[in-house]
Amino acid sequence: MSNVFWGVHTALQAGAPGSVLMIGDSWWWYPIDNLATEIGALFASESFVVIGRNGAEAAEWSQGMRKTINLGFDMYARGCKVLMLSGGGNDVAGQDDFLRLLNTNCSAATTVKDCFALVQPDAVITGIMNAYREVIVRFRAHNKTAPVVMHNYDNAWPTGQGFFGPGKWLKVPMDIAQVPEQLRRDVFKSLVNKLHLAQVELTKEAALGPLVAVLTAGELPEAPGSTDEQWWANELHPTPKGFKRIAKNRLRDPLDQFLLG
């Protein structure tokens, strides 16, 4: 029987103790494989309650997902050992969200900074961190001491590949904004890095309690590898092999101090 439970009601029906709460997006929920499943496999003695959905934005933690998250906190937060957050990727990826970050015409850009619109991406990153801050404050109303662990995804490739067929997460908005080919990977890498730096700054806010910002970006190899060694399933999601590598090499050690392996 799996120790990862998809949704609060599923966990309640199974009588799961819920030692880890995981709130977030498709990096917890992706149907082929995901980071939640791979972390659960590393800590078989713990039970993981996953809250959220594929495509969820961090902003939804205080809006559309608020009641579900609050139920999870009411049921499990007091006794849980760790809260894990996966959020921000869907706030920037996708045709509409990515385009708001970019200049209308980036064809003449020679640096990553040239590609971004005025005050971006800092304005969007600030909004994402406000969503983190708000949900952590709500968690602290139930649990003052459990660590909150955050990650920053990895350096995806703007290939245009989606879950089934073409995707519109990265390549399409870059096509529309005419981002030069030689800058496209670095544009997305800069966003992932800025998310980590913002998470690190968040850990310095003592009022939020213990926070851990895990640098997951840079774990998957830069070279895509041969066909049977692909690390990325599409523009945003690793293959099972990729998720497993990130869980083992980047998240196991930070979680070891809090959980039973």
Side-chain angles (χ1 to χ4, degrees):
M1 180 178 179
S2 174
N3 61 331
V4 181
F5 300 90
W6 308 104
V8 178
H9 292 291
T10 300
L12 290 172
Q13 290 172 0
S19 52
V20 180
L21 286 175
M22 308 180 82
I23 296 173
D25 52 26
S26 57
W27 273 51
W28 293 162
W29 287 85
Y30 193 61
I32 304 302
D33 190 36
N34 53 66
L35 208 49
T37 298
E38 295 298 343
I39 293 171
L42 294 174
F43 297 94
S45 299
E46 308 291 352
S47 65
F48 297 77
V49 180
V50 189
I51 303 170
R53 63 175 179 82
N54 287 306
E57 297 187 359
E60 296 180 60
W61 297 347
S62 60
Q63 298 171 14
M65 291 166 50
R66 183 181 183 88
K67 290 182 179 180
T68 302
I69 292 172
N70 284 349
L71 175 62
F73 286 166
D74 288 342
M75 296 294 102
Y76 291 108
R78 190 177 305 277
C80 84
K81 299 177 182 180
V82 178
L83 169 65
M84 300 189 71
L85 299 177
S86 179
N90 290 302
D91 299 70
V92 300
Q95 184 168 321
D96 293 336
D97 287 329
F98 212 146
L99 282 175
R100 66 175 169 166
L101 304 179
L102 301 173
N103 284 315
T104 303
N105 186 338
C106 303
S107 60
T110 58
T111 68
V112 167
K113 185 177 180 180
D114 292 341
C115 294
F116 288 119
L118 190 64
V119 310
Q120 295 295 1
D122 293 340
V124 166
I125 296 292
T126 296
I128 294 170
M129 288 303 101
N130 284 338
Y132 273 74
R133 189 176 290 107
E134 196 269 350
V135 81
I136 292 168
V137 167
R138 284 156 54 200
F139 175 69
R140 292 295 176 217
H142 301 270
N143 190 318
K144 302 294 185 185
T145 59
V148 178
V149 176
M150 306 167 282
H151 74 87
N152 75 319
Y153 307 96
D154 208 334
N155 300 319
W157 297 80
T159 61
Q161 185 175 356
F163 181 43
F164 287 117
K168 296 183 179 181
W169 296 310
L170 303 181
K171 183 179 183 296
V172 167
M174 289 188 186
D175 286 345
I176 294 171
Q178 300 179 60
V179 177
E181 290 286 344
Q182 68 271 19
L183 293 177
R184 293 188 175 198
R185 183 94 194 291
D186 287 339
V187 165
F188 187 71
K189 287 174 71 172
S190 73
L191 290 174
V192 172
N193 184 59
K194 281 181 177 291
L195 177 61
H196 175 66
L197 294 177
Q199 291 171 339
V200 170
E201 287 301 308
L202 200 67
T203 67
K204 300 176 183 178
E205 297 185 21
L208 296 179
L211 309 181
V212 180
V214 179
L215 178 64
T216 47
E219 176 57 36
L220 299 186
E222 286 293 297
S226 59
T227 301
D228 61 343
E229 293 179 348
Q230 291 291 328
W231 297 102
W232 290 93
N234 52 51
E235 285 193 308
L236 286 186
H237 306 99
T239 58
K241 178 181 176 181
F243 276 126
K244 183 174 183 177
R245 175 166 171 157
I246 292 170
K248 180 180 178 181
N249 293 350
R250 296 297 178 108
L251 286 159
R252 180 169 61 181
D253 284 351
L255 291 171
D256 263 341
Q257 57 190 309
F258 312 120
L259 303 177
L260 298 173

